[in-house]
Amino acid sequence: MVPTGPYGSWPSPIDAALAASLDGRPEYLGTVGEEVWWTAPRPSEGGRRTLVRRRTDAFGAAREEPVLPQPWNVRSRVVEYGGTPWAAVARPVGGPLLVFTEFADQRLYAYEPDAPGASAAAPGASGTSGAAGPRPLTPLSPVGGGLRWADPVLCPERGEVWCVLEEFTGPGPTDVRRVLAAVPLDGSAAEDRSTIRELTDDRHRFTTGPRLSPDGRRAAWLVWDHPRMPWDGTELKVADITPEGEFGTARTVLGGPEESVAQVEWAADGSLLAVSDRGGWWNPYRVEPAAGTGPGTPAGSGGKAVNLCPRDEEFGGPLWKTGLRWLAPLAGGLVAVLHGQGSSVLGVLDPETGDLVDAAGPWTNWAPTLAVCGSRVVGVAASPRSGYEVVELDTVTGRARVIGAAATDPVDPAYYPEPQSRTFYGPDDREIHAHVYPPHNPVRAAPADALPPYVVWAHGGPTAHVEPVLDLHIAYFTSRGIGVAEVNYGGSTGYGRAYRERLREQWGVVDVEDCAAVARALAAEGTADPDRLAVRGGSAGGWTTAASLAGTDVYACGTIKYPVLDLVGIGEETHDLESQYLTGLAGPPQTLAARCRQRSPLGRADRISVPFLLLQGLDDAVCPPSQAERFLAAVEGPEGQEGRPVPPHAYLAFEGEGHGFRRAETMVRALEAELSLYAQVFGFERDDIPVLRLRK
């Protein structure tokens, strides 16, 4: 018989150190010759991202090996969230040529990892490396400013790499311009900025990197401007490329203020493919030229967009980072696509017939990164029983297999929770999508008459969503007897444009109502203890958490992570990409002050009466620490004020952490502090974690 114990007190082999060590996933896949490369997280190495290659030895055995050792950190800071940070090409002699962005100084570097004597020693104080190591291609800039690079495309025949250039022109976070630029591969620009050619002007505030046609004669890219976010409206630009490598006049061929084009690619036959939500869902389109156009016609003249697979499904998503790929053309004319509602599966689309065949396998979600080599498609996928791993699909045989970052079980999978994807109903009978993870432990059960505590998780974004896949941070709680409900509240992606538009000018209302509706429904049906409900979230989810504590009586406590807390202040303090995000989320500037008083946790801090934990990275450029500090001051009230109840709370701030925690030691401290909060509020004992001291 399985022993019983109170919910929350169960022993579990999934400790905070284990959850932290497996945080993150492979990103930015690419093929270099026959090899597959990707960036991989290293939480135990200061939270850096390394570049990994999968290569085959002379005996046919495949192995993974890092291209760059510590402390190299392959990560771009363009628009703060980054973009594709590397590109490489295979060469018949000398091995691959790699160009990458180093996080610490944001310079572009070139490296030949297979060259004789190659050694990726750490950059020196001057930012240069040994003769056989990575060599800088771009100038050294002030820390946190200057020049940043993303989405590189190698053009070795021109002796250049083409990419996004982000240049800060003043001290403010919005003093910035972005263009497409050509950087010499000979390293001359490392000392002379003037050798960098700008391929476009800076009339548009934001741009993705260029996609070059198979014949190299045309380029396509996406642009958008304030106050739009990329899921509101983008434009697909096309330009001819002269023999000298200059861009001709760029023309808009798709998109606009109310149409979001999320990706553009060239097919092998030179046709242009794009992902657009012009029909209410991100679907794949072929952009066809107008009748009568020919080689002498300016790029982008006329034309129409043909939907290749009209479905009420998403074949794309929010462009938080440049270089995300939901679509990848294959050499024979087929197209690999990611599609679905709420989560994405990999399929192969015949653009001529519209037939779509999905890959077989246990994976329930594929991340927006795809690479193609011949008839093979490579992606990053996960399931409720396995974390994100690199998966290869042979489109000829239909066989899919794991080839990298294999998710080995660090503990008995019997401790993993099983998600229940459900639909709830909120005000006005509107649908709310959520994934519910009941408490689960193979060696413990709760008393028959007990109901479990539940924590409602509000995701960040808010224009984003969560998928039902294995997350050891969730398992950390469920294996101890605490249920989790991840809510894709109105405004989330994955369910069409109308669903994500529900949050327009309603941030702090719809998200709060939807999370509360799920919590109340779980309690009403007897799934959760109504007296032991909590809410937690980070970034935009931190806003929802704090607003929920200030605006509802549903929760007994909350965990607020690197949050937005002040609507008026965040527009002036945050980075450029999101500096006008609030126009869509909360309304135009003339109404912002009033809505801040009505909705901001800062303006309603005196209404919070339950315990909370506040977690903050001190290097956060998206949600700066000043937001948390003003909120704490408001919660605690004016100095010397008497008679005003102050809720028990704790504030943990972490040096060296930005927006989203990356270091293992930070994640361990944060998880254990959160569990201690729940133990104190929900009334169960834990002697295996430090006690979180709450200020009262």
Side-chain angles (χ1 to χ4, degrees):
M1 180 176 291
V2 176
T4 62
Y7 285 114
S9 68
W10 300 345
S12 172
I14 304 174
D15 60 17
L18 177 61
S21 70
L22 298 176
D23 188 70
R25 67 190 184 196
E27 288 186 307
Y28 300 117
L29 283 171
T31 54
V32 184
E34 293 295 315
E35 296 182 3
V36 179
W37 293 29
W38 64 88
T39 68
R42 293 290 185 264
S44 63
E45 299 175 7
R48 76 181 184 104
R49 291 195 71 88
T50 190
L51 185 62
V52 175
R53 64 193 294 191
R54 181 184 185 269
R55 60 194 312 189
T56 303
D57 62 23
F59 301 99
R63 67 181 187 276
E64 296 173 32
E65 60 183 49
V67 180
L68 296 158
Q70 293 189 70
W72 293 100
N73 189 352
V74 184
R75 181 179 159 212
S76 170
R77 283 190 63 185
V78 164
V79 299
E80 292 302 338
Y81 294 115
T84 303
W86 71 275
V89 292
R91 299 177 299 176
V93 178
L97 171 64
L98 165 68
V99 170
F100 68 94
T101 299
E102 160 59 32
F103 180 75
D105 58 16
Q106 287 299 291
R107 299 176 88 177
L108 276 181
Y109 286 81
Y111 182 45
E112 300 171 60
D114 294 351
S119 175
S126 65
T128 61
S129 303
R135 53 186 176 82
L137 299 180
T138 55
L140 187 64
S141 302
V143 175
L147 309 177
R148 298 175 181 178
W149 314 87
D151 278 13
V153 176
L154 274 164
C155 303
E157 71 283 355
R158 298 185 184 276
E160 295 177 324
V161 56
W162 294 2
C163 52
V164 175
L165 161 59
E166 180 178 81
E167 181 175 19
F168 283 82
T169 58
T174 60
D175 297 330
V176 61
R177 60 190 292 270
R178 298 175 185 88
V179 297
L180 299 183
V183 178
L185 288 171
D186 62 9
S188 58
E191 302 297 334
D192 184 2
R193 164 73 169 80
S194 67
T195 63
I196 297 171
R197 296 190 303 116
E198 295 191 1
L199 302 171
T200 62
D201 57 33
D202 59 2
R203 72 180 65 185
H204 295 290
R205 190 70 171 199
F206 302 97
T207 181
T208 65
R211 294 290 181 264
L212 306 185
S213 62
D215 61 8
R217 297 173 58 188
R218 290 174 294 169
W221 66 100
L222 305 177
V223 298
W224 69 97
D225 293 287
H226 285 316
R228 286 177 284 156
M229 297 298 285
W231 43 87
D232 295 325
T234 57
E235 297 174 32
L236 168 51
K237 296 286 188 178
V238 176
D240 292 324
I241 302 173
T242 70
E244 296 74 30
E246 302 290 343
F247 280 20
T249 301
R251 297 180 179 272
T252 299
V253 300
L254 197 67
E258 297 182 357
E259 178 184 355
S260 170
V261 182
Q263 185 189 345
V264 58
E265 298 288 345
W266 296 95
D269 63 0
S271 61
L272 192 61
L273 304 179
V275 177
S276 168
D277 74 344
R278 57 171 40 197
W281 297 80
W282 276 305
N283 278 187
Y285 288 80
R286 179 188 290 115
V287 183
E288 298 181 343
T293 60
T297 306
S301 295
K304 62 178 181 178
V306 178
N307 193 333
L308 301 179
C309 191
R311 291 192 182 192
D312 288 351
E313 293 184 1
E314 302 284 38
F315 289 73
L319 203 60
W320 281 106
K321 304 175 182 181
T322 59
L324 301 181
R325 297 187 80 191
W326 296 267
L327 172 153
L330 289 146
L334 300 177
V335 182
V337 295
L338 303 179
H339 69 102
Q341 283 196 30
S343 59
S344 296
V345 296
L346 173 64
V348 177
L349 172 67
D350 184 335
E352 301 304 321
T353 66
D355 291 340
L356 180 58
V357 179
D358 291 338
W363 307 283
T364 55
N365 189 68
W366 293 70
T369 179
L370 290 173
V372 168
C373 183
S375 62
R376 296 179 293 135
V377 180
V378 186
V380 174
S383 77
R385 292 289 168 177
S386 61
Y388 282 98
E389 49 199 359
V390 180
V391 181
E392 177 189 85
L393 170 68
D394 185 325
T395 60
V396 175
T397 65
R399 181 190 176 207
R401 63 186 180 119
V402 177
I403 64 166
T408 57
D409 291 316
V411 297
D412 185 346
Y415 285 91
Y416 297 163
E418 192 66 37
Q420 302 170 359
S421 295
R422 299 181 54 184
T423 300
F424 295 86
Y425 293 89
D428 302 320
D429 207 32
R430 64 174 180 249
E431 288 188 351
I432 306 166
H433 302 286
H435 308 302
V436 179
Y437 297 81
H440 177 72
N441 187 305
V443 299
R444 283 295 186 277
D449 59 347
L451 289 175
Y454 260 79
V455 184
V456 170
W457 285 27
H459 63 71
T463 312
H465 71 280
V466 287
E467 307 89 7
V469 298
L470 179 62
D471 181 344
L472 289 187
H473 290 250
I474 292 176
Y476 177 77
F477 293 104
T478 57
S479 63
R480 285 165 171 76
I482 301 171
V484 170
E486 288 193 296
V487 181
N488 282 325
Y489 47 79
S492 300
T493 56
Y495 305 96
R497 184 161 187 138
Y499 192 85
R500 73 177 187 267
E501 290 282 352
R502 288 184 188 177
L503 208 56
R504 184 162 293 279
E505 298 194 18
Q506 294 298 309
W507 197 33
V509 179
V510 167
D511 50 325
V512 170
E513 291 176 346
D514 285 3
C515 287
V518 171
R520 290 190 178 104
L522 292 173
E525 70 186 24
T527 297
D529 185 339
D531 297 322
R532 296 195 294 172
L533 297 171
V535 60
R536 68 101 84 165
S539 188
W543 156 277
T544 302
T545 297
S548 296
L549 297 182
T552 76
D553 59 359
V554 174
Y555 308 104
C557 62
T559 300
I560 307 166
K561 303 167 60 179
Y562 36 89
V564 177
L565 295 164
D566 173 15
L567 282 179
V568 172
I570 194 65
E572 301 170 354
E573 297 168 330
T574 193
H575 62 137
D576 187 48
L577 175 66
E578 296 182 83
S579 61
Q580 296 187 37
Y581 193 7
L582 290 180
T583 300
L585 292 175
Q590 57 267 31
T591 66
L592 201 57
R595 288 181 177 170
C596 185
R597 291 190 297 271
Q598 297 165 358
R599 303 179 192 174
S600 279
L602 178 65
R604 300 188 296 167
D606 59 340
R607 301 185 185 184
I608 298 178
S609 59
V610 299
F612 67 86
L613 167 63
L614 178 58
L615 304 168
Q616 179 68 48
L618 293 179
D619 292 346
D620 195 335
V622 178
C623 296
S626 55
Q627 291 264 313
E629 292 160 2
R630 290 200 301 276
F631 174 70
L632 284 174
V635 167
E636 294 168 359
E639 188 174 348
Q641 181 178 352
E642 297 181 0
R644 178 176 176 271
V646 175
H649 63 280
Y651 177 49
L652 301 181
F654 299 97
E655 295 276 359
E657 290 284 10
H659 196 64
F661 301 149
R662 294 176 178 270
R663 297 179 176 181
E665 60 271 24
T666 301
M667 289 184 274
V668 168
R669 181 73 180 101
L671 276 173
E672 291 182 342
E674 185 176 355
L675 180 59
S676 179
L677 171 70
Y678 301 151
Q680 294 178 57
V681 174
F682 295 155
F684 56 81
E685 298 292 331
R686 300 286 334 179
D687 59 7
D688 55 346
I689 56 172
V691 175
L692 177 68
R693 297 189 178 278
L694 297 173
R695 298 174 60 183
K696 301 180 180 179

